[in-house]
Amino acid sequence: MTPRDRDYLVKLTNSDSIEALWSTHCERMAEYGFDRLFYGFTRFRTPNSLGDPNDFVMLTNHDQSYTDTFVGQRLYHSAPMVRWALDNDGACSWKVLADMVETGTLTPEERRVIDFNRSCDVTAGYSISFRSVSNRAKGAIALTARPGTSQDEVDAKWARHGDDIVLMNNIVHLKILTLPYVPPNQSLTKRQREALEWVGGGKTMADIAQIMGLTQATVEKHLRLAREALNVETTAQAVMKAAFQNQMFVLDM
């Protein structure tokens, strides 16, 4: 490991926010020629669905015009590399896409995704699918090479640095899982978070009211608003979801 790699990993593991982590990682991957990244993670996968997109952890430095279509129009449902990532662990060259085109094995929906990606210069790169111990959770990252870079050039660079790149992305993924992530419109107020924390600690409504110096009715209001913010039906679900997002038991910075 070079001093440069060591400095990067220290900075990465010391990041106290996803924004700082992501900025550091994007800069490092750009040094390997991957100037656009797309990370996705869900804890709510089922055999037939990735879950509610509002619950995804999604990080990217692609242009908004790209994400508005790829995510907003849900092209990812038919993206061949997304499907590969759901069924596999490890790294995969996008050469498999050229093979699919050449053999004519693409569905019309998959062809639409590839045509869209080509229109955005998303043509060469690698995907990494992260191993999970839960059948409900899955994470992956797509590393897109700079426009004008051929897949052969990417593969040659990967042969030299692929193991290091996989290691760095594995660490990023594991670090993301420890940091607070608030999906759009799902943030909790300090009082809502505190009430959920005490519920998670096994306290009764009467206990929580006394601890927080509030009436039980006010505590129940905070919990109701927390359920609405997190888009769940029960307080138990709210506790679980807030814990998944690392919104609970965090230090106020």
Side-chain angles (χ1 to χ4, degrees):
M1 180 180 293
T2 67
R4 176 80 176 88
D5 291 336
R6 192 177 299 110
D7 289 344
Y8 158 77
L9 291 175
V10 169
K11 184 176 181 181
L12 198 71
T13 53
N14 283 336
S15 297
D16 57 9
S17 71
I18 283 185
E19 292 78 12
L21 175 83
W22 188 243
S23 176
T24 298
H25 189 54
C26 287
E27 290 176 7
R28 188 69 174 116
M29 289 299 100
E31 294 177 17
Y32 287 103
F34 300 109
D35 66 337
R36 288 158 293 167
L37 314 181
F38 202 120
Y39 171 90
F41 177 73
T42 179
R43 293 186 187 270
F44 301 97
R45 180 186 178 193
T46 70
N48 303 312
S49 170
L50 289 174
D52 186 346
N54 290 324
D55 295 332
F56 295 168
V57 178
M58 281 191 180
L59 304 171
T60 186
N61 61 346
H62 277 272
D63 291 339
Q64 186 172 347
S65 59
Y66 178 83
T67 57
D68 282 349
T69 299
F70 189 76
V71 178
Q73 297 184 22
R74 302 199 178 186
L75 293 189
Y76 61 85
H77 276 301
S78 303
M81 294 312 301
V82 171
R83 293 186 176 180
W84 174 88
L86 292 174
D87 296 331
N88 297 275
D89 297 325
C92 183
S93 166
W94 290 3
K95 184 179 182 298
V96 298
L97 298 176
D99 294 340
M100 293 176 71
V101 171
E102 186 175 339
T103 57
T105 57
L106 292 169
T107 66
E109 293 78 12
E110 290 171 333
R111 166 60 75 175
R112 180 188 172 207
V113 175
I114 289 179
D115 288 344
F116 168 71
N117 281 338
R118 285 177 173 172
S119 73
C120 298
D121 286 321
V122 179
T123 57
Y126 259 78
S127 291
I128 301 173
S129 180
F130 305 109
R131 186 182 298 274
S132 175
V133 297
S134 168
N135 59 9
R136 296 286 304 276
K138 191 60 183 179
I141 190 167
L143 311 174
T144 301
R146 289 189 179 93
T149 307
S150 71
Q151 187 62 49
D152 287 342
E153 291 173 317
V154 173
D155 290 339
K157 182 169 291 188
W158 199 270
R160 299 191 302 272
H161 304 291
D163 289 345
D164 291 338
I165 295 172
V166 169
L167 174 61
M168 292 175 187
N169 280 277
N170 281 341
I171 293 173
V172 165
H173 171 61
L174 294 173
K175 181 66 177 180
I176 287 172
L177 300 185
T178 72
L179 293 171
Y181 177 77
V182 182
N185 303 317
Q186 292 192 24
S187 62
L188 300 173
T189 67
K190 183 177 180 179
R191 282 300 207 185
Q192 291 164 10
R193 188 180 73 203
E194 185 180 1
L196 286 178
E197 288 173 350
W198 287 120
V199 171
K203 299 299 184 182
T204 66
M205 283 292 168
D207 291 336
I208 298 171
Q210 183 175 8
I211 292 169
M212 296 180 65
L214 304 172
T215 65
Q216 289 191 44
T218 302
V219 171
E220 289 169 354
K221 183 189 76 171
H222 286 311
L223 292 173
R224 173 179 57 80
L225 293 175
R227 293 193 298 270
E228 292 175 358
L230 295 170
N231 193 29
V232 296
E233 294 182 358
T234 69
T235 299
Q237 290 170 336
V239 170
M240 181 184 72
K241 194 167 186 180
F244 279 163
Q245 295 173 354
N246 297 313
Q247 289 203 61
M248 292 172 56
F249 304 108
V250 295
L251 296 173
D252 290 320
M253 304 301 291

